[in-house]
Amino acid sequence: MNRFDYRVSRSRRSAKLAMLAAGAALSAVAISGCGAGQIAQTAMQQSAVDGNQSGVKNVALRNVHIQALQTGDYLRPGATVDLVLVAVNQSPDVSDKLLGITTDIGKVTVSGDATLPPSGVLFVGQNGQPKKADDAIEAADSVKATIALSKPITNGPNYDVTFNFEKAGSVSVAVPISAPEPAKH
């Protein structure tokens, strides 16, 4: 091998190493840039429980469901079912009030004082017996909401129910049916 061949061979090796290094650097930039500016999949996930992530302005609605024991294929028009939920006023200084509830499956009748005091909780359809309430939050009087069905409903699909609040406004919630809890002896 002459002196010139040695230089060409060395130059080719250096060029190959430089190209490999540049390729590795570009790959690293491309791979790291793929996730830049992205929102994690879990950052925007909703709860798997229907009726559990709803609300409007300072009012959060939790555990919203139609409580009914279904013994056939459908609950028939003319039947009366209870609407159950917990409304939480997240404002520390402004009260609100549930003015009414509407749905296309029947007429909703609300009875009781539906006022939501600041930082208060309103239990709807739980007979004044909340299962658990945070000691730091005082619960307002419970109210009852019943739906006189004008359409057949069944377990599985969710039904649109709109809640109208005096200050917070309106919010529609997709509401499932759930069976009542068995009586404790």
Side-chain angles (χ1 to χ4, degrees), residues 22-139:
L26 283 174
S27 296
V29 168
I31 290 171
S32 66
C34 286
Q38 296 290 323
I39 297 173
Q41 286 180 335
T42 56
M44 300 296 286
Q45 283 185 335
Q46 294 293 322
S47 170
V49 179
D50 290 322
N52 213 26
Q53 289 292 335
S54 303
V56 60
K57 293 187 184 175
N58 287 328
V59 176
L61 301 177
R62 301 288 182 254
N63 196 24
V64 183
H65 60 279
I66 297 168
Q67 193 168 54
L69 182 59
Q70 184 175 335
T71 56
D73 291 343
Y74 290 92
L75 291 163
R76 306 271 179 225
T80 301
V81 295
D82 290 326
L83 185 62
V84 178
L85 67 117
V86 177
V88 180
N89 188 349
Q90 297 174 332
S91 171
D93 56 357
V94 177
S95 65
D96 208 334
K97 185 172 187 170
L98 177 62
L99 299 176
I101 303 170
T102 57
T103 181
D104 65 347
I105 60 172
K107 183 178 185 324
V108 182
T109 304
V110 179
S111 61
D113 182 10
T115 301
L116 264 164
S119 300
V121 179
L122 179 67
F123 296 94
V124 176
Q126 297 185 4
N127 298 325
Q129 301 296 322
K131 293 175 187 160
K132 286 187 177 180
D134 187 351
D135 294 336
I137 300 174
E138 287 190 33

Side-chain angles (χ1 to χ4, degrees), residues 158-179:
N158 291 336
Y159 299 95
D160 289 330
V161 177
T162 301
F163 298 86
N164 302 304
F165 291 92
E166 184 176 60
K167 295 184 179 117
S170 297
V171 62
S172 290
V173 180
V175 179
I177 297 174
S178 70

